[in-house]
Amino acid sequence: MNRRGLLLSVAASGLVAACGGGGSSSSSSSSSSSSSSSSSSSLPDPATAPALKTHFTGHFKIGFAVDPGLTTQSPTHELLLKHASTLTAESVMKANPIGVSAGVYNFTEADKLIAFAEANGIAVRGHALVWHQTSPSWFFDGDRSDMATYKSLVRGRLETYITDVVTHFKGKVYCWDVVNEVTSDDASATYRNSDWYQIFGSDFIDYAFRAARAADPSVKLFINEYSTEDAAKRGRLMTIVQGMLDRGVPVDGVGHQMHINTGYPSAAQVEAALSDVEGKGLINHITEMDVSVYNDPVSCFSGTGCAAQISTGTAAFNTAMTAQALKYRELFDVFTAHASVECVTLWGVADNHTWLDNFPVTRKNYPLLFDQVGDPKAAFWAIVDPAFVP
C-alpha cells in the first residue's frame, strides 16, 4: 500500500473524522494563530480576492465540507457566502446520525444545513448513504442461522433507509455519494471486506444505487473513494465500476477524495485518474480535497517519525506555504483542463478547523485555501491568478 493508502486506511479504521467525510463537531484551532498564516507578507489585499464560485464558473462547482454549527461562526460563515457554490455535510448526513433505528430518523442537523444552503443559493452534495465506518449496528441485527432470511431482512433495511433518506432530501440535494470506500487497499482483493461485503458480496452496491435512483430519478449518483491517484488501487476501483456498468447499475460518476500533501501526488497521476473515469463515460468530482503541509514517513502513521509541528512566522512555514500553493495550482490546472470535472470540494473551509490537526498525530496543520482568520493564503492566489508567484 502506498503512503496515502496507508494514511486513509488508518484514518478510516480509527477516526470517523478522517477520510470519507468524518469531522468533529468542534473547531480545531491553534494558539499560534495569526492575522496572516500565509507564506508572505506581500500577499494581495484580501479584499481583492475574487469569489471562487464566480472565478470557476464555466468549469465546475466549488465548495467546502462543513457541518451546521460552523455555518454561523466567523470566518466560516462569511467565506461560504462569498465563495461556495456547493457544500458537503462533514458528518450530519451519514447513516449513524440520521438512522436512529429501522424506520426512525433524525434529520434535525442535516435539515439545518439544507436550510442554510437554500437560504444562500448553495447546492448540496449528499454524503454518504453507505459507509462501513458509519453504518449503525441495527442494520445487521438478526438471526444468521438462516442466511437467506437474514440477507433478505438486512437488504430490506438498507433499501428502506436509502429510499426514505433520498426521498427526504429529494430536490434539495443534487448528487449523492451512494457508497463510500468500498475498494480494497490490499492487492489480493478487489472489494473492502466490510460487514456489507461479508453478507452480500458486491450485491449491496447494486442494491444501494438502485434504491437511490428509484427514490430520486434526477439526482446524480457517485461511488466515492480515496487514493484514486494510485494506479493499483484505481485499477481495483475501475474493476468495480466496470462491473456496475455491465450490470446496468445507475452510477453517474466517481468521487476522488484527494486527501494529499505537498509532495504527492503528481499532476500526471491525477490526470490518469480523471482520464480513466472519463474512459468509462462517467463524471469526475473532487470530493474531499486538502493538502497537508507534512510529508511524513510511513512510520508516522504507526506513531513514530512524524515531522515536527510547523509554526506560523517561521522559515519552514513559509517554505511549506509555497510548496502547498504550487501543488494546489498544479492540480487545479489539471481539474480545469477536464470538462468531466464538474465539482471540486475542499474538506474544510479555513485552517482553523481541519481533521488533520488530529491525524496522524495532534499537530497544527494548514491544509486549506484560507488561513485561521479566513484570509486567502498563497494557495488561494495560486489557483485564481496565474501571474501570482508564491
Side-chain angles (χ1 to χ4, degrees):
M1 185 190 311
N2 71 4
R3 176 198 180 283
R4 292 308 295 169
L6 176 62
L7 189 162
L8 276 308
S9 177
V10 174
S13 64
L15 285 175
V16 172
C19 86
S24 167
S25 61
S26 61
S27 176
S28 298
S29 60
S30 168
S31 59
S32 63
S33 157
S34 68
S35 62
S36 178
S37 295
S38 298
S39 60
S40 171
S41 59
S42 61
L43 292 178
D45 181 352
T48 67
L52 292 173
K53 62 186 177 184
T54 302
H55 182 81
F56 289 106
T57 295
H59 290 290
F60 41 71
K61 291 182 176 70
I62 189 162
F64 311 89
V66 67
D67 274 339
L70 284 174
T71 63
T72 61
Q73 298 179 21
S74 184
T76 302
H77 177 81
E78 295 83 4
L79 292 173
L80 289 173
L81 295 188
K82 179 173 180 176
H83 295 287
S85 54
T86 182
L87 59 79
T88 299
E90 195 172 7
S91 60
V92 299
M93 292 179 75
K94 296 185 175 70
N96 54 353
I98 286 180
V100 177
S101 59
V104 179
Y105 308 104
N106 181 0
F107 293 111
T108 302
E109 293 303 305
D111 285 345
K112 288 180 184 177
L113 195 66
I114 293 289
F116 169 82
E118 289 185 332
N120 294 289
I122 303 172
V124 177
R125 175 187 199 85
H127 178 84
L129 292 171
V130 182
W131 184 29
H132 62 282
Q133 284 292 318
T134 57
S135 294
S137 61
W138 58 260
F139 272 119
F140 308 111
D141 288 344
D143 181 359
R144 301 194 187 201
S145 62
D146 179 347
M147 282 304 294
T149 300
Y150 174 74
K151 288 170 70 173
S152 178
L153 175 67
V154 177
R155 177 180 176 176
R157 288 174 183 151
L158 174 64
E159 292 175 334
T160 297
Y161 173 81
I162 290 176
T163 298
D164 291 349
V165 171
V166 173
T167 299
H168 179 85
F169 293 111
K170 185 176 181 180
K172 302 175 181 180
V173 167
Y174 71 95
C175 68
W176 275 102
D177 292 325
V178 179
V179 297
N180 191 44
E181 300 177 5
V182 298
T183 310
S184 174
D185 288 316
D186 186 342
S188 67
T190 300
Y191 294 87
R192 178 183 293 278
N193 191 30
S194 66
D195 288 340
W196 292 110
Y197 186 76
Q198 289 174 26
I199 296 167
F200 295 109
S202 63
D203 289 348
F204 79 94
I205 297 174
D206 298 20
Y207 302 155
F209 273 88
R210 294 187 192 283
R213 172 58 72 235
D216 188 347
S218 64
V219 74
K220 298 294 184 183
L221 305 180
F222 284 76
I223 181 171
N224 194 46
E225 192 56 82
Y226 64 83
S227 291
T228 60
E229 66 278 356
D230 175 74
K233 180 162 185 180
R234 184 173 68 256
R236 295 190 288 276
L237 172 62
M238 289 297 99
T239 296
I240 293 171
V241 169
Q242 187 59 55
M244 295 168 67
L245 294 172
D246 291 344
R247 297 188 300 274
V249 177
V251 57
D252 295 298
V254 171
H256 308 260
Q257 291 186 9
M258 213 63 63
H259 293 291
I260 61 175
N261 62 51
T262 56
Y264 175 90
S266 68
Q269 287 172 298
V270 174
E271 186 99 43
L274 300 178
S275 295
D276 280 0
V277 172
E278 290 167 354
K280 304 291 186 187
L282 299 176
I283 300 165
N284 282 300
H285 280 191
I286 310 303
T287 56
E288 305 182 21
M289 188 175 187
D290 45 28
V291 181
S292 172
V293 299
Y294 300 104
N295 299 327
D296 294 304
V298 170
S299 64
C300 177
F301 304 99
S302 298
T304 62
C306 299
Q309 177 170 308
I310 298 173
S311 297
T312 57
T314 64
F317 181 84
N318 292 341
T319 297
M321 291 297 98
T322 297
Q324 183 185 69
L326 293 174
K327 181 57 66 177
Y328 266 111
R329 172 179 281 168
E330 177 184 41
L331 296 189
F332 266 74
D333 284 348
V334 174
F335 302 155
T336 56
H338 285 259
S340 67
V341 177
E342 297 186 1
C343 180
V344 176
T345 297
L346 285 299
W347 201 251
V349 181
D351 285 345
N352 66 309
H353 178 88
T354 168
W355 71 280
L356 291 174
D357 281 352
N358 301 301
F359 184 83
V361 292
T362 299
R363 173 186 59 182
K364 183 61 195 160
N365 211 320
Y366 313 89
L368 301 166
L369 297 175
F370 301 94
D371 70 15
Q372 295 178 76
V373 298
D375 286 341
K377 295 162 53 180
F380 175 95
W381 295 107
I383 67 171
V384 300
D385 182 4
F388 173 74
V389 179

